[in-house]
Amino acid sequence: MSRIQATFDKLKQHKRKALIPFFTAGDPAPALTVQLLHALVEAGADIIELGVPFSDPMADGPTIQRSSERALKHEVGLHHVLDMVAEFRRSNIGTPIVLMGYGNPIEAMGWERFAMRCAQAGVDGVLTVDFPPEESHEAFGHLQRHGIDPIFLLAPTTSDERIAKVAKQARGYVYYVSLKGVTGAGHLDLGEIERKIPQLRKHITLPIGVGFGIRDAATALAVAKLCDGVVVGSRIVQEIENSTEQNVIANVSKLVKELRSAVDKA
Amino acid sequence: MYNYPDNSGHFGPYGGIYVAETLMGALEELNQAYEKYRHDPEFIAELNYDLKHFVGRPSPIYHAKRWSQQLGGAQIYLKREDLNHTGAHKVNNTVGQALLARRMGKPRVIAETGAGQHGVATATVAARYGMECVVYMGSEDVQRQAQNVYRMKLLGATVVPVESGSKTLKDALNEAMRDWVTNIENTFYIIGTVAGPHPYPMMVRDFNAIVGRECLVQMPELAGRQPDAVVACVGGGSNAMGVFYSYIDMPGVKLIGVEAGGHGIASGQHAAPLTTNSAVGVLHGNRTYLMQDENGQIIETHSISAGLDYPGVGPEHSWLKDSGRAEYVAINDDEALRAFHDLCRLEGIIPALESSHALAHAAKIAPHMGKDKVLLVNLSGRGDKDMATVARASGIQF
């Protein structure tokens, strides 16, 4: 059984919802990434989405764009990110890590080699923002041969037909983007999520995580009630941006603990 | 017969739809609308009316006799897209897309622009059809192209300077995509080149293909026959696809795309992904040749011409390169400037710096061809916008 499935199974047994924080590898500094991963786990993260920096993050708002730029200033490439996950795995064998980013850095490495290195490093899932199912068959075939789950996005504008298409290819969990816009936008529409989730459930048997626009304990709780997992990205990246290298671990831990206790009330 | 892209938007291994799920719905809607209207007689009639009465088509072909004579070889003919309203081929496409937007009930259009030509062409049609218009432009380009920024504002558009990344065309495109995904219900994204996710590369080509269709008729009238080669500059590649498309099935006509060699290929400072055989990658919704580093990060490009200063290239050009149907070469900044000055003085035409790259290549090959040979160059735009750049390169300050 994959680590992602095991995690959701265990959460279900305890009637809890998953907390899935995101941050960009290499931000604020490459030396802090593995420490941040461990700190997130200690603060209550169930799964971590680790961003792979890219020069042209088209689907991201300004907060995550800036984090990508900070990481690229440290010349953090896909190789480094995989090394960081391998280092994390030396002292954590339970928490799933999902790499999230854009396709081109993987294209440059080659999908077969990437999939192999993911398996060696202990990566559990890969979410490639700009690879919809139509363009993913070959690439994601490599992932699955190495036991890596391809994670797909679904959106408010996704039709029934497309939901069914994604359902066939998705593994691990699916990530429902809760608003029309880029990451970090501020207008979360809970009613829309409440209407959409049953439509997704008609086709999707995997757990459903919801993200984009979750900014605090209150929104995390409200969203957690509607789905299986809550993804928090820009808010955490903002905390990293506003911290110093000295207090970033403490600040992010505090934030994730707040989110954890909110999600546990769902 | 040449029949690309396939139904899923691929030109061989290139093209496709590489976007986030949040944009897939909008692209499906666009694809359906385009399929519905592209053969619709009423749509075509309205498009043709505006191309004639608003844009000023057909644009003439002109025999550059003095220049040809001086070069001493092939006869050079120029397709005068510089004479279009707004001064370039870009308006062929913006008229088409704006008419489509109207039929789709989208009252707001957005665009990205580098030098500002596509931004001006979009602002122009938005004013013509009474639409709200927002143009994204890298903050570096906003400074370099102050006149075009003002032109867009005169036409009622809002110009948003983009501060992210390298602050140039590619970042403007990223920002326009972000706007589109946020305002998908009321907004139509008018992409200015034959790149982006399907159906854009096909649609922008189709709207510009009128250039080649006119040449097919005009060349026999003026030169007595079709050209031996067609030469056009390639940034994203819209003017080149426009003039190439009608000639693809005529094997006797060579197709030559001219990329920006910048400070020279060896310097690394250029915008010539095809000529240099850059690695294939995925950016801005399509798979294509792409200037990138070994980590797959997109690298900054250089060209004296802002309109060619782009790290990728339309996917159809990648396919024409691989299939051998078209040939791609690079012309450096200084060679383009020389052709610019030659055309000014010998023919009384001030060409755009983009088009000057195509002219420079024609000047390079013409002397090695017989006097009975015929070259057709797409003079894609006029050079009024480039006065400051050319003056600076000549050491002159206004």
Side-chain angles (χ1 to χ4, degrees), chain A residues 75-105:
Chain A
E75 294 181 5
V76 173
L78 186 50
H79 294 276
H80 305 104
V81 180
L82 288 162
D83 290 344
M84 289 167 181
V85 176
E87 196 189 327
F88 170 75
R89 276 280 169 260
R90 274 187 225 137
S91 43
N92 180 314
I93 52 163
T95 308
I97 299 285
V98 172
L99 295 190
M100 181 167 179
Y102 296 79
N104 203 55

PDB file of all heavy atoms in Angstrom, chain A residues 75-105:
ATOM      1  N   GLU A  75      19.744  28.878  -6.786  1.00  0.00           N
ATOM      2  CA  GLU A  75      19.974  27.880  -7.831  1.00  0.00           C
ATOM      3  C   GLU A  75      19.481  26.488  -7.449  1.00  0.00           C
ATOM      4  O   GLU A  75      20.153  25.478  -7.697  1.00  0.00           O
ATOM      5  CB  GLU A  75      21.451  27.869  -8.234  1.00  0.00           C
ATOM      6  CG  GLU A  75      21.824  29.183  -8.890  1.00  0.00           C
ATOM      7  CD  GLU A  75      23.264  29.254  -9.340  1.00  0.00           C
ATOM      8  OE1 GLU A  75      23.976  28.251  -9.225  1.00  0.00           O
ATOM      9  OE2 GLU A  75      23.665  30.340  -9.804  1.00  0.00           O
ATOM     10  N   VAL A  76      18.308  26.455  -6.832  1.00  0.00           N
ATOM     11  CA  VAL A  76      17.725  25.168  -6.462  1.00  0.00           C
ATOM     12  C   VAL A  76      17.022  24.557  -7.677  1.00  0.00           C
ATOM     13  O   VAL A  76      16.069  25.116  -8.191  1.00  0.00           O
ATOM     14  CB  VAL A  76      16.726  25.345  -5.297  1.00  0.00           C
ATOM     15  CG1 VAL A  76      16.005  24.035  -5.022  1.00  0.00           C
ATOM     16  CG2 VAL A  76      17.463  25.815  -4.055  1.00  0.00           C
ATOM     17  N   GLY A  77      17.532  23.442  -8.143  1.00  0.00           N
ATOM     18  CA  GLY A  77      16.939  22.736  -9.280  1.00  0.00           C
ATOM     19  C   GLY A  77      16.292  21.446  -8.800  1.00  0.00           C
ATOM     20  O   GLY A  77      16.339  21.097  -7.613  1.00  0.00           O
ATOM     21  N   LEU A  78      15.703  20.738  -9.764  1.00  0.00           N
ATOM     22  CA  LEU A  78      14.994  19.503  -9.448  1.00  0.00           C
ATOM     23  C   LEU A  78      15.904  18.473  -8.762  1.00  0.00           C
ATOM     24  O   LEU A  78      15.485  17.783  -7.830  1.00  0.00           O
ATOM     25  CB  LEU A  78      14.400  18.941 -10.740  1.00  0.00           C
ATOM     26  CG  LEU A  78      13.489  17.724 -10.665  1.00  0.00           C
ATOM     27  CD1 LEU A  78      12.383  17.897  -9.633  1.00  0.00           C
ATOM     28  CD2 LEU A  78      12.887  17.447 -12.038  1.00  0.00           C
ATOM     29  N   HIS A  79      17.184  18.399  -9.193  1.00  0.00           N
ATOM     30  CA  HIS A  79      18.146  17.479  -8.550  1.00  0.00           C
ATOM     31  C   HIS A  79      18.232  17.731  -7.050  1.00  0.00           C
ATOM     32  O   HIS A  79      18.203  16.803  -6.251  1.00  0.00           O
ATOM     33  CB  HIS A  79      19.554  17.684  -9.131  1.00  0.00           C
ATOM     34  CG  HIS A  79      19.667  17.303 -10.555  1.00  0.00           C
ATOM     35  ND1 HIS A  79      19.882  16.011 -10.955  1.00  0.00           N
ATOM     36  CD2 HIS A  79      19.590  18.045 -11.693  1.00  0.00           C
ATOM     37  CE1 HIS A  79      19.941  15.952 -12.268  1.00  0.00           C
ATOM     38  NE2 HIS A  79      19.758  17.177 -12.746  1.00  0.00           N
ATOM     39  N   HIS A  80      18.337  19.036  -6.703  1.00  0.00           N
ATOM     40  CA  HIS A  80      18.476  19.382  -5.283  1.00  0.00           C
ATOM     41  C   HIS A  80      17.232  19.003  -4.508  1.00  0.00           C
ATOM     42  O   HIS A  80      17.311  18.517  -3.388  1.00  0.00           O
ATOM     43  CB  HIS A  80      18.720  20.884  -5.120  1.00  0.00           C
ATOM     44  CG  HIS A  80      19.883  21.389  -5.911  1.00  0.00           C
ATOM     45  ND1 HIS A  80      19.734  22.109  -7.073  1.00  0.00           N
ATOM     46  CD2 HIS A  80      21.206  21.239  -5.720  1.00  0.00           C
ATOM     47  CE1 HIS A  80      20.910  22.400  -7.562  1.00  0.00           C
ATOM     48  NE2 HIS A  80      21.844  21.891  -6.770  1.00  0.00           N
ATOM     49  N   VAL A  81      16.074  19.253  -5.122  1.00  0.00           N
ATOM     50  CA  VAL A  81      14.823  18.955  -4.427  1.00  0.00           C
ATOM     51  C   VAL A  81      14.757  17.459  -4.122  1.00  0.00           C
ATOM     52  O   VAL A  81      14.384  17.047  -3.016  1.00  0.00           O
ATOM     53  CB  VAL A  81      13.611  19.406  -5.269  1.00  0.00           C
ATOM     54  CG1 VAL A  81      12.316  19.093  -4.534  1.00  0.00           C
ATOM     55  CG2 VAL A  81      13.686  20.903  -5.578  1.00  0.00           C
ATOM     56  N   LEU A  82      15.154  16.633  -5.087  1.00  0.00           N
ATOM     57  CA  LEU A  82      15.139  15.180  -4.859  1.00  0.00           C
ATOM     58  C   LEU A  82      16.123  14.787  -3.761  1.00  0.00           C
ATOM     59  O   LEU A  82      15.827  13.923  -2.933  1.00  0.00           O
ATOM     60  CB  LEU A  82      15.453  14.456  -6.177  1.00  0.00           C
ATOM     61  CG  LEU A  82      14.311  14.517  -7.202  1.00  0.00           C
ATOM     62  CD1 LEU A  82      14.809  14.199  -8.606  1.00  0.00           C
ATOM     63  CD2 LEU A  82      13.186  13.552  -6.820  1.00  0.00           C
ATOM     64  N   ASP A  83      17.281  15.444  -3.756  1.00  0.00           N
ATOM     65  CA  ASP A  83      18.250  15.177  -2.683  1.00  0.00           C
ATOM     66  C   ASP A  83      17.681  15.543  -1.316  1.00  0.00           C
ATOM     67  O   ASP A  83      17.921  14.855  -0.325  1.00  0.00           O
ATOM     68  CB  ASP A  83      19.544  15.972  -2.924  1.00  0.00           C
ATOM     69  CG  ASP A  83      20.329  15.446  -4.121  1.00  0.00           C
ATOM     70  OD1 ASP A  83      20.037  14.311  -4.552  1.00  0.00           O
ATOM     71  OD2 ASP A  83      21.211  16.173  -4.618  1.00  0.00           O
ATOM     72  N   MET A  84      16.937  16.664  -1.270  1.00  0.00           N
ATOM     73  CA  MET A  84      16.342  17.094  -0.002  1.00  0.00           C
ATOM     74  C   MET A  84      15.342  16.066   0.513  1.00  0.00           C
ATOM     75  O   MET A  84      15.304  15.758   1.703  1.00  0.00           O
ATOM     76  CB  MET A  84      15.632  18.445  -0.193  1.00  0.00           C
ATOM     77  CG  MET A  84      16.582  19.618  -0.405  1.00  0.00           C
ATOM     78  SD  MET A  84      15.634  21.059  -0.997  1.00  0.00           S
ATOM     79  CE  MET A  84      16.969  22.260  -1.180  1.00  0.00           C
ATOM     80  N   VAL A  85      14.528  15.523  -0.418  1.00  0.00           N
ATOM     81  CA  VAL A  85      13.543  14.516   0.004  1.00  0.00           C
ATOM     82  C   VAL A  85      14.273  13.276   0.515  1.00  0.00           C
ATOM     83  O   VAL A  85      13.904  12.707   1.551  1.00  0.00           O
ATOM     84  CB  VAL A  85      12.593  14.144  -1.158  1.00  0.00           C
ATOM     85  CG1 VAL A  85      11.649  13.017  -0.737  1.00  0.00           C
ATOM     86  CG2 VAL A  85      11.790  15.366  -1.601  1.00  0.00           C
ATOM     87  N   ALA A  86      15.339  12.879  -0.177  1.00  0.00           N
ATOM     88  CA  ALA A  86      16.105  11.703   0.256  1.00  0.00           C
ATOM     89  C   ALA A  86      16.651  11.915   1.672  1.00  0.00           C
ATOM     90  O   ALA A  86      16.618  11.003   2.504  1.00  0.00           O
ATOM     91  CB  ALA A  86      17.235  11.425  -0.725  1.00  0.00           C
ATOM     92  N   GLU A  87      17.102  13.131   1.930  1.00  0.00           N
ATOM     93  CA  GLU A  87      17.643  13.421   3.266  1.00  0.00           C
ATOM     94  C   GLU A  87      16.540  13.365   4.319  1.00  0.00           C
ATOM     95  O   GLU A  87      16.719  12.812   5.410  1.00  0.00           O
ATOM     96  CB  GLU A  87      18.310  14.802   3.254  1.00  0.00           C
ATOM     97  CG  GLU A  87      19.225  15.024   4.452  1.00  0.00           C
ATOM     98  CD  GLU A  87      19.718  16.462   4.551  1.00  0.00           C
ATOM     99  OE1 GLU A  87      19.904  17.096   3.485  1.00  0.00           O
ATOM    100  OE2 GLU A  87      19.874  16.942   5.687  1.00  0.00           O
ATOM    101  N   PHE A  88      15.379  13.931   3.992  1.00  0.00           N
ATOM    102  CA  PHE A  88      14.220  13.887   4.895  1.00  0.00           C
ATOM    103  C   PHE A  88      13.840  12.449   5.225  1.00  0.00           C
ATOM    104  O   PHE A  88      13.547  12.110   6.374  1.00  0.00           O
ATOM    105  CB  PHE A  88      13.048  14.627   4.229  1.00  0.00           C
ATOM    106  CG  PHE A  88      11.723  14.477   4.923  1.00  0.00           C
ATOM    107  CD1 PHE A  88      11.460  15.154   6.107  1.00  0.00           C
ATOM    108  CD2 PHE A  88      10.725  13.664   4.386  1.00  0.00           C
ATOM    109  CE1 PHE A  88      10.231  15.035   6.751  1.00  0.00           C
ATOM    110  CE2 PHE A  88       9.490  13.533   5.016  1.00  0.00           C
ATOM    111  CZ  PHE A  88       9.242  14.222   6.201  1.00  0.00           C
ATOM    112  N   ARG A  89      13.872  11.587   4.203  1.00  0.00           N
ATOM    113  CA  ARG A  89      13.465  10.181   4.379  1.00  0.00           C
ATOM    114  C   ARG A  89      14.382   9.405   5.329  1.00  0.00           C
ATOM    115  O   ARG A  89      13.980   8.390   5.878  1.00  0.00           O
ATOM    116  CB  ARG A  89      13.446   9.475   3.026  1.00  0.00           C
ATOM    117  CG  ARG A  89      12.177   9.676   2.249  1.00  0.00           C
ATOM    118  CD  ARG A  89      11.043   8.780   2.723  1.00  0.00           C
ATOM    119  NE  ARG A  89       9.782   9.193   2.118  1.00  0.00           N
ATOM    120  CZ  ARG A  89       8.866   9.933   2.723  1.00  0.00           C
ATOM    121  NH1 ARG A  89       9.020  10.312   3.978  1.00  0.00           N
ATOM    122  NH2 ARG A  89       7.762  10.282   2.097  1.00  0.00           N
ATOM    123  N   ARG A  90      15.612   9.892   5.531  1.00  0.00           N
ATOM    124  CA  ARG A  90      16.517   9.181   6.437  1.00  0.00           C
ATOM    125  C   ARG A  90      15.955   9.139   7.848  1.00  0.00           C
ATOM    126  O   ARG A  90      16.230   8.227   8.606  1.00  0.00           O
ATOM    127  CB  ARG A  90      17.896   9.842   6.450  1.00  0.00           C
ATOM    128  CG  ARG A  90      18.771   9.316   5.332  1.00  0.00           C
ATOM    129  CD  ARG A  90      20.185   9.853   5.453  1.00  0.00           C
ATOM    130  NE  ARG A  90      20.631  10.293   4.142  1.00  0.00           N
ATOM    131  CZ  ARG A  90      21.287  11.396   3.875  1.00  0.00           C
ATOM    132  NH1 ARG A  90      21.632  12.218   4.851  1.00  0.00           N
ATOM    133  NH2 ARG A  90      21.631  11.688   2.659  1.00  0.00           N
ATOM    134  N   SER A  91      15.147  10.168   8.210  1.00  0.00           N
ATOM    135  CA  SER A  91      14.582  10.145   9.565  1.00  0.00           C
ATOM    136  C   SER A  91      13.059  10.234   9.564  1.00  0.00           C
ATOM    137  O   SER A  91      12.445  10.460  10.602  1.00  0.00           O
ATOM    138  CB  SER A  91      15.185  11.265  10.413  1.00  0.00           C
ATOM    139  OG  SER A  91      15.259  12.453   9.656  1.00  0.00           O
ATOM    140  N   ASN A  92      12.432  10.094   8.415  1.00  0.00           N
ATOM    141  CA  ASN A  92      10.972  10.021   8.390  1.00  0.00           C
ATOM    142  C   ASN A  92      10.557   9.047   7.307  1.00  0.00           C
ATOM    143  O   ASN A  92      10.802   9.271   6.126  1.00  0.00           O
ATOM    144  CB  ASN A  92      10.362  11.406   8.112  1.00  0.00           C
ATOM    145  CG  ASN A  92       8.832  11.352   8.077  1.00  0.00           C
ATOM    146  OD1 ASN A  92       8.239  10.479   7.461  1.00  0.00           O
ATOM    147  ND2 ASN A  92       8.203  12.297   8.763  1.00  0.00           N
ATOM    148  N   ILE A  93       9.907   7.944   7.711  1.00  0.00           N
ATOM    149  CA  ILE A  93       9.482   6.985   6.688  1.00  0.00           C
ATOM    150  C   ILE A  93       7.964   6.965   6.536  1.00  0.00           C
ATOM    151  O   ILE A  93       7.422   6.226   5.722  1.00  0.00           O
ATOM    152  CB  ILE A  93       9.996   5.557   6.994  1.00  0.00           C
ATOM    153  CG1 ILE A  93       9.624   5.162   8.425  1.00  0.00           C
ATOM    154  CG2 ILE A  93      11.495   5.450   6.754  1.00  0.00           C
ATOM    155  CD1 ILE A  93       9.727   3.659   8.644  1.00  0.00           C
ATOM    156  N   GLY A  94       7.269   7.807   7.291  1.00  0.00           N
ATOM    157  CA  GLY A  94       5.808   7.726   7.284  1.00  0.00           C
ATOM    158  C   GLY A  94       5.059   8.816   6.543  1.00  0.00           C
ATOM    159  O   GLY A  94       3.958   8.589   6.044  1.00  0.00           O
ATOM    160  N   THR A  95       5.628  10.030   6.462  1.00  0.00           N
ATOM    161  CA  THR A  95       4.864  11.161   5.932  1.00  0.00           C
ATOM    162  C   THR A  95       5.034  11.264   4.416  1.00  0.00           C
ATOM    163  O   THR A  95       6.153  11.431   3.927  1.00  0.00           O
ATOM    164  CB  THR A  95       5.345  12.480   6.581  1.00  0.00           C
ATOM    165  OG1 THR A  95       5.329  12.309   7.995  1.00  0.00           O
ATOM    166  CG2 THR A  95       4.422  13.634   6.184  1.00  0.00           C
ATOM    167  N   PRO A  96       3.917  11.184   3.680  1.00  0.00           N
ATOM    168  CA  PRO A  96       4.033  11.275   2.213  1.00  0.00           C
ATOM    169  C   PRO A  96       4.517  12.645   1.751  1.00  0.00           C
ATOM    170  O   PRO A  96       4.133  13.668   2.322  1.00  0.00           O
ATOM    171  CB  PRO A  96       2.601  11.039   1.726  1.00  0.00           C
ATOM    172  CG  PRO A  96       1.879  10.402   2.863  1.00  0.00           C
ATOM    173  CD  PRO A  96       2.533  10.913   4.105  1.00  0.00           C
ATOM    174  N   ILE A  97       5.362  12.640   0.744  1.00  0.00           N
ATOM    175  CA  ILE A  97       5.832  13.871   0.111  1.00  0.00           C
ATOM    176  C   ILE A  97       5.357  13.883  -1.344  1.00  0.00           C
ATOM    177  O   ILE A  97       5.575  12.933  -2.085  1.00  0.00           O
ATOM    178  CB  ILE A  97       7.376  13.954   0.107  1.00  0.00           C
ATOM    179  CG1 ILE A  97       7.925  13.944   1.533  1.00  0.00           C
ATOM    180  CG2 ILE A  97       7.852  15.194  -0.663  1.00  0.00           C
ATOM    181  CD1 ILE A  97       7.767  15.234   2.298  1.00  0.00           C
ATOM    182  N   VAL A  98       4.689  14.982  -1.700  1.00  0.00           N
ATOM    183  CA  VAL A  98       4.228  15.162  -3.078  1.00  0.00           C
ATOM    184  C   VAL A  98       5.000  16.329  -3.683  1.00  0.00           C
ATOM    185  O   VAL A  98       5.005  17.420  -3.118  1.00  0.00           O
ATOM    186  CB  VAL A  98       2.713  15.461  -3.115  1.00  0.00           C
ATOM    187  CG1 VAL A  98       2.262  15.838  -4.525  1.00  0.00           C
ATOM    188  CG2 VAL A  98       1.918  14.256  -2.603  1.00  0.00           C
ATOM    189  N   LEU A  99       5.674  16.092  -4.788  1.00  0.00           N
ATOM    190  CA  LEU A  99       6.354  17.196  -5.479  1.00  0.00           C
ATOM    191  C   LEU A  99       5.338  17.916  -6.351  1.00  0.00           C
ATOM    192  O   LEU A  99       4.569  17.289  -7.078  1.00  0.00           O
ATOM    193  CB  LEU A  99       7.502  16.683  -6.347  1.00  0.00           C
ATOM    194  CG  LEU A  99       8.682  16.040  -5.636  1.00  0.00           C
ATOM    195  CD1 LEU A  99       9.823  15.808  -6.633  1.00  0.00           C
ATOM    196  CD2 LEU A  99       9.174  16.883  -4.466  1.00  0.00           C
ATOM    197  N   MET A 100       5.340  19.244  -6.238  1.00  0.00           N
ATOM    198  CA  MET A 100       4.379  20.026  -7.012  1.00  0.00           C
ATOM    199  C   MET A 100       5.126  21.079  -7.810  1.00  0.00           C
ATOM    200  O   MET A 100       6.007  21.753  -7.278  1.00  0.00           O
ATOM    201  CB  MET A 100       3.397  20.694  -6.050  1.00  0.00           C
ATOM    202  CG  MET A 100       2.337  21.509  -6.746  1.00  0.00           C
ATOM    203  SD  MET A 100       1.033  21.938  -5.594  1.00  0.00           S
ATOM    204  CE  MET A 100      -0.037  22.911  -6.663  1.00  0.00           C
ATOM    205  N   GLY A 101       4.786  21.182  -9.089  1.00  0.00           N
ATOM    206  CA  GLY A 101       5.455  22.184  -9.896  1.00  0.00           C
ATOM    207  C   GLY A 101       5.002  22.108 -11.342  1.00  0.00           C
ATOM    208  O   GLY A 101       3.898  21.633 -11.638  1.00  0.00           O
ATOM    209  N   TYR A 102       5.867  22.559 -12.222  1.00  0.00           N
ATOM    210  CA  TYR A 102       5.542  22.629 -13.645  1.00  0.00           C
ATOM    211  C   TYR A 102       6.351  21.577 -14.400  1.00  0.00           C
ATOM    212  O   TYR A 102       7.368  21.087 -13.893  1.00  0.00           O
ATOM    213  CB  TYR A 102       5.831  24.041 -14.160  1.00  0.00           C
ATOM    214  CG  TYR A 102       4.927  25.055 -13.477  1.00  0.00           C
ATOM    215  CD1 TYR A 102       5.194  25.511 -12.188  1.00  0.00           C
ATOM    216  CD2 TYR A 102       3.754  25.493 -14.097  1.00  0.00           C
ATOM    217  CE1 TYR A 102       4.345  26.404 -11.552  1.00  0.00           C
ATOM    218  CE2 TYR A 102       2.902  26.390 -13.465  1.00  0.00           C
ATOM    219  CZ  TYR A 102       3.204  26.840 -12.196  1.00  0.00           C
ATOM    220  OH  TYR A 102       2.351  27.706 -11.558  1.00  0.00           O
ATOM    221  N   GLY A 103       5.901  21.257 -15.608  1.00  0.00           N
ATOM    222  CA  GLY A 103       6.469  20.116 -16.321  1.00  0.00           C
ATOM    223  C   GLY A 103       7.887  20.292 -16.827  1.00  0.00           C
ATOM    224  O   GLY A 103       8.636  19.328 -16.919  1.00  0.00           O
ATOM    225  N   ASN A 104       8.274  21.527 -17.157  1.00  0.00           N
ATOM    226  CA  ASN A 104       9.524  21.649 -17.908  1.00  0.00           C
ATOM    227  C   ASN A 104      10.796  21.186 -17.185  1.00  0.00           C
ATOM    228  O   ASN A 104      11.640  20.554 -17.803  1.00  0.00           O
ATOM    229  CB  ASN A 104       9.707  23.058 -18.473  1.00  0.00           C
ATOM    230  CG  ASN A 104      10.647  23.052 -19.654  1.00  0.00           C
ATOM    231  OD1 ASN A 104      10.428  22.322 -20.611  1.00  0.00           O
ATOM    232  ND2 ASN A 104      11.735  23.810 -19.555  1.00  0.00           N
ATOM    233  N   PRO A 105      10.949  21.481 -15.890  1.00  0.00           N
ATOM    234  CA  PRO A 105      12.139  20.940 -15.213  1.00  0.00           C
ATOM    235  C   PRO A 105      12.200  19.406 -15.276  1.00  0.00           C
ATOM    236  O   PRO A 105      13.288  18.825 -15.387  1.00  0.00           O
ATOM    237  CB  PRO A 105      11.982  21.428 -13.768  1.00  0.00           C
ATOM    238  CG  PRO A 105      11.190  22.698 -13.899  1.00  0.00           C
ATOM    239  CD  PRO A 105      10.212  22.423 -15.016  1.00  0.00           C
TER     240      PRO A 105
END
